[in-house]
Amino acid sequence: MRMGVLDVGSNTVHLLLVDAHRGARPLPAYKQKTDLSLVELLDDSGSISGEGADRLVQTCRDAVEAAEDKGATSMLAFATSALREAVNGTAVLDRVRDEAGVDLQILSGEDEARLTFLAVRRWYGWSAGRLLSVDIGGGSLELAAGGDENPDVAVSLPLGAARLTRAWFTGDPPSKDEVRALRRHVRAEIASIIGGVNRYGTHDRAVASSKTFRSLARVAGAAPSGDGPYVRRTLSRSDVQELVKKLAAMTTAERAKLPGVSSGRAAQLLAGAVVADAVVDLFEVDEIDICPWALREGIILRRLDQFEGGEFGEAVEAGREV
C-alpha cells in the first residue's frame, strides 16, 4: 500500500509517501518539502502568528492534494516542537483540521526520540549493539539509547538549532562572547542528562539522523545525497570541533555556499554545530554515523508493525509503551 506521512517540524513541513507492507522495507515513492520555519513565526508571546497559521493551513492543504494525486491510501500527520510549545497551538491545530482536513497529532519529545530510535535500529540492525541515537531539530534535541528496538531511555531537550540561533545570536556572524555563552549553556544542559542516558550501559555505536548532522558531515567531506542512502557517511569529533570554529567566523551568506548547506538552514548551522560538538564530546563519541532514516520512517515502521488500519494516536502510544 502507499502510505503518507506529513511531518510538521520547526523548520520544514515534509510529506513522504512510501510503498510499504508489514515485514518489508518502506520504499520512498514521493517527497515534498516546504520551508515554513514555524519557529521563526512565533510572536513575543510565544504564539504562532496569523501569517504562520495561514501558511501552515495552506501547506497542509497542498500536501493532502499531493498525496491524493500520487495515490496514497492513508496519511499519518504529526507535529513536533514548534506546535507543541506554541501558546496557541491548540487553536492552530483546530484551524488545520477544519480548513485543511488534516488532523495533526502532537508528538512529545520523548515520542520523537523513541520513534527515531526505532528507525535507526531497523537501519543498522542488531549487529550494531547498543545504540545512542541523536537528532538535532529546529526546536529540540532528542537522544535515546538502548540495546533493543525500544530504547531504555529517551530524552528531549530544548536545544534545537533554530531555537538557539534566535535566542542567543544577535550578529551575523555572532560575537565570540555569544558563541561562548551558547556553548556554556548547551554543555550544561547535556551534561545534566548524561548519567541517566548511560545508566544502562555505554553505547557501542553512535548514530545521528538529523539534517543538521547531514549538513555538517557533507561540509566535512561526506558523500553527497545524490550518491544514495547506502554510502556510509560519518562525522568525527575532531571534524565537529573544527567546524564550530570555521562556521563561527562565517556569515550566513558564506555558510550557504558550503556543500550540503541550504540557504534556509545556513543561519542556524553554527548553533547546530555547537550542539553536535557538545554531544560527541560529552558522550565521548569519536565518530558518529549518519543515518538516512529518522522520525518519519520510525512512524511508518511502528504503524506497519502493530497498527495497520488503526489510529495514529495508538501508534504514538506504542512508541511509549512497547
Side-chain angles (χ1 to χ4, degrees), residues 260-278:
V261 180
S262 66
S263 58
R265 300 269 184 165
Q268 60 185 268
L269 189 60
L270 171 58
V274 171
V275 176
D277 178 43

Side-chain angles (χ1 to χ4, degrees), residues 19 36 50 86 94 111 128 134 137 181 205 279 296 302:
D19 292 325
L36 194 58
D94 289 343
D111 285 332
V134 186
R205 188 171 199 159
V279 169
R296 289 182 292 279
R302 180 63 73 195

Side-chain angles (χ1 to χ4, degrees), residues 116-272:
T116 300
F117 184 89
L118 172 63
V120 169
R121 169 60 74 191
R122 290 285 177 89
W123 184 267
Y124 288 98
W126 299 114
S127 64
R130 184 175 179 82
L131 290 173
L132 172 66
S133 169
V134 186
D135 189 290
I136 303 171
S140 58
L141 163 69
E142 274 72 48
L143 300 105
D148 298 321
E149 288 199 336
N150 198 44
D152 297 320
V153 59
V155 180
S156 179
L157 296 172
L159 298 178
R163 177 200 296 267
L164 296 177
T165 300
R166 183 180 183 185
W168 291 83
F169 294 160
T170 60
D172 185 21
S175 68
K176 291 182 179 180
D177 286 343
E178 287 181 336
V179 175
R180 184 178 180 183
L182 175 61
R183 183 178 185 273
R184 241 185 350 255
H185 168 71
V186 167
R187 284 175 174 257
E189 288 285 304
I190 294 174
S192 71
I193 54 92
I194 287 179
V197 174
N198 287 339
R199 178 179 301 171
Y200 302 95
T202 57
H203 62 273
D204 297 307
R205 188 171 199 159
V207 180
S209 59
S210 59
K211 178 64 174 177
T212 293
F213 271 106
R214 289 197 297 272
S215 296
L216 291 173
R218 181 73 184 96
V219 174
S225 58
D227 286 0
Y230 300 112
V231 176
R232 189 185 181 206
R233 297 170 176 87
T234 63
L235 187 63
S236 71
R237 191 191 312 188
S238 60
D239 282 340
V240 182
Q241 292 171 345
E242 290 303 313
L243 282 171
V244 171
K245 298 175 184 177
K246 177 179 180 178
L247 295 171
M250 302 175 76
T251 64
T252 296
E254 289 170 336
R255 291 181 211 137
K257 296 178 182 178
L258 295 171
V261 180
S262 66
S263 58
R265 300 269 184 165
Q268 60 185 268
L269 189 60
L270 171 58

Side-chain angles (χ1 to χ4, degrees), residues 146 295 304:
L295 177 59
L304 289 171

Side-chain angles (χ1 to χ4, degrees), residues 68-85:
E68 291 175 352
D69 288 345
K70 298 299 180 181
T73 57
S74 65
M75 187 164 74
L76 312 174
F78 66 93
T80 55
S81 178
L83 272 172
R84 184 168 65 230
E85 299 173 12

